[in-house]
Amino acid sequence: MRPTPRKAFAASVFTVAVLAGVSLPATPAAATPHAAPSAAACTPAQVVTNGGFESGTSPWSQSSTSVITNRTGQTAHGGTTFAWLDGVGSTHTDTLSQSVTIPSGCSSATLTFWLHIDTAETTSSTAYDKLTAKIGTTTLATYSNLNKNTGYAQKSFDVSAFAGQTVNVAFTGTEDSSLQTSFVVDDVALDTSGDTTPPADSTRTPAAPSYTVSLSSNTSGTVWTGHESATFTNASSTALSEVYLRLWDNYHGTCSSLPIAVSNVTGGTAGALSVDCTALKIDLSTPLTQGQTATIGFDLGITVPSGADRFGYDGAFSFIGNALPVLAVKDAAGWHLDPYTNNGESFYSLAADFKVTLDHPSTLLVPATGASVDTPGSSGRTITTATASKVRDFAWAAGPFTKISGTSTAGTPINVYSVTGISSANAQSMLTTAKTAVDAHASRFGAYRYGELDAVIDNNFWFGGMEYPGFVLDLVSTTALTHEIGHQWWYGIVGDDEYNSPWLDEAFTDYATDLALSKTGTSCWNSVSWASTAEKITNSMAYWDTHSSRYSTVVYGYGKCALHDLRRVLGDTAMAKLLKDYATSHWYGVSTTAEFKAAAQAATTTDLTSFWTQHRIDG
């Protein structure tokens, strides 16, 4: 979340029609345990050989001996050798390819290369000469004389779909009959990482959750009813006899008038609601031993309250964040049943797969987490089916939005959905910001993994901005939108316990935002002034909820300043490598302060003990 100064606003009067109370099934269906399939282990690797062309031509296949070269006229991105396709100035085709095997056990695979284009073409509208980058039979991108640049630019593509396959990485350059265009490629790499269940998460359970949801809305998109099921595996050596569902948005109502209503539970027996009705215990029909899997199901009703909130409606527009029940996490500390905080986030969850079907009036656009496909429903209605892999939550919106779309330079599809009153110029500005931000963050921390990215813009949001996987709520603000998109890595891909360690997503995201906006944080630590000896960057939301006026200053401001200071201690290159490697090693996992401190210490010969003390980073 990107906070803005709190606006004075009247408490909304919630008119909540409770669809169904929590009820116990008369004869609960048994959860059927079965052994979870074992995932192949992933050893992180870079599978392109001789990607910098410094070791001759093997194992590359090239159309002529002049493609891989160090001849004058072009320069390498690194070293002295590069691949120079075309540049002849007459009808010509050059090709370059290498066969690679992407390990089957790795959940992340990213192809990158550096590309420089110069041309004698003078047109600003016609692509006469083209370079195509492919993996297997899939075209990743096509560049042309229109993409000329003065130096190299890195290109990045998620190729995880090819895990377990042997495929060709190939470049094909074609020129027309006159005026040369040179396509110069260097430092090609294909990095793999990430087990299906990260080893660092082995004590966190229930693991590998998968949610299937089917909901239908009323005419305004403010009431949704249907069914949800959750499949999960016990990763712990201790038998799992119960799970908890987090019904986060019951914070926005009362226990006698529930915005999130769960009923007719199968696969277990529902207990009493707790934690201000935001936690529901379900005793499993059959305890699960380590490695066993079960499914629970339940009917679900969602009633959206009035208010321009992360869960609320603003006129004809509904924003539905944290409304789907998700499984709480149990680790060495026990079940995490922390309270909802309106000051920040409490949403600690493990990476999961979602398939969500939303049946709604065709007059409403429904942006959502994941990749969405619309199909006709019954008369006057549309069915939006959204699928998302390895995400920590699912959010959507509904309303007569104005939508514009584009694609970032690295290939990420971006959609901007605006409420009434957002000008087309502001919407276009946010689209431009989103394109730049997603590529900037991806170049530093790893390829964007959630397919398309939806940004929903409403200047009435009191909270500034809010992040969900592949889906953000925001004001018209370059800084705020760059920040929320940064959360796709720091909270999304690299998870954390947001209630107990909020700095791990907010400080890291604000630091990433500074880098994306070319801010260096010079001397920002010099203006630090602590309110008390108890105030620390690493304090939990329990502390910040009782010191709310200091939350943004310390967690966001002092937190990012501490990371800028760490960069000055390590050096720019070492800090960049630290964060990229740290993200890779925690891909879809969970970060802790202790793990980050250990990784930072391993990156330098300087003893960082006094650094952590000075910057009040405990853990």
Side-chain angles (χ1 to χ4, degrees), residues 306-320:
S306 175
D309 210 332
R310 52 194 181 188
F311 178 60
Y313 67 83
D314 182 16
F317 302 92
S318 294
F319 314 104
I320 309 169

Side-chain angles (χ1 to χ4, degrees), residues 17-107:
V18 180
L19 301 168
V22 176
S23 62
L24 307 183
T27 309
T32 305
H34 55 275
S38 57
C42 174
T43 301
Q46 198 290 98
V47 299
V48 169
T49 301
N50 189 26
F53 311 111
E54 302 299 318
S55 302
T57 60
S58 181
W60 292 98
S61 297
Q62 52 183 337
S63 54
S64 73
T65 57
S66 63
V67 173
I68 296 176
T69 183
N70 60 2
R71 68 185 191 273
T72 58
Q74 297 292 341
T75 58
H77 173 258
T80 59
T81 307
F82 45 90
W84 184 351
L85 291 85
D86 298 335
V88 175
S90 59
T91 303
H92 186 79
T93 298
D94 276 328
T95 61
L96 178 71
S97 65
Q98 179 180 146
S99 176
V100 299
T101 299
I102 304 176
S104 59
C106 294
S107 59

Side-chain angles (χ1 to χ4, degrees), residues 145-336:
N145 48 281
L146 300 178
N147 303 117
K148 64 183 178 181
N149 52 350
T150 55
Y152 277 91
Q154 189 179 42
K155 310 300 179 182
S156 180
F157 304 92
D158 176 7
V159 294
S160 305
F162 297 88
Q165 300 181 36
T166 297
V167 290
N168 272 346
V169 173
F171 302 91
T172 301
T174 59
E175 282 184 293
D176 71 347
S177 58
S178 65
L179 299 178
Q180 74 85 26
T181 299
S182 295
F183 300 99
V184 190
V185 177
D186 203 359
D187 292 332
V188 184
L190 202 164
D191 292 290
T192 64
S193 64
D195 289 348
T196 302
T197 303
D201 290 353
S202 60
T203 61
R204 297 181 178 97
T205 202
S210 177
Y211 300 94
T212 302
V213 184
S214 180
L215 297 172
S216 181
S217 82
N218 64 353
T219 56
S220 62
T222 57
V223 177
W224 300 76
T225 58
H227 189 79
E228 177 176 343
S229 64
T231 300
F232 50 88
T233 300
N234 181 19
S236 171
S237 58
T238 301
L240 189 66
S241 59
E242 79 280 341
V243 296
Y244 284 85
L245 290 175
R246 296 314 310 259
L247 316 181
W248 288 114
D249 283 336
N250 281 342
Y251 168 88
H252 297 273
T254 67
C255 289
S256 61
S257 186
L258 298 171
I260 310 299
V262 168
S263 61
N264 299 323
V265 174
T266 59
T269 303
L273 286 163
S274 60
V275 198
D276 293 328
C277 293
T278 66
L280 174 63
K281 182 182 180 182
I282 297 178
D283 291 309
L284 298 177
S285 302
T286 305
L288 299 182
T289 60
Q290 187 173 33
Q292 287 190 312
T293 296
T295 298
I296 58 172
F298 46 89
D299 291 337
L300 176 64
I302 298 169
T303 303
V304 182
S306 175
D309 210 332
R310 52 194 181 188
F311 178 60
Y313 67 83
D314 182 16
F317 302 92
S318 294
F319 314 104
I320 309 169
N322 306 112
L324 293 184
V326 294
L327 293 162
V329 178
K330 183 182 182 182
D331 58 20
W335 285 104
H336 285 259

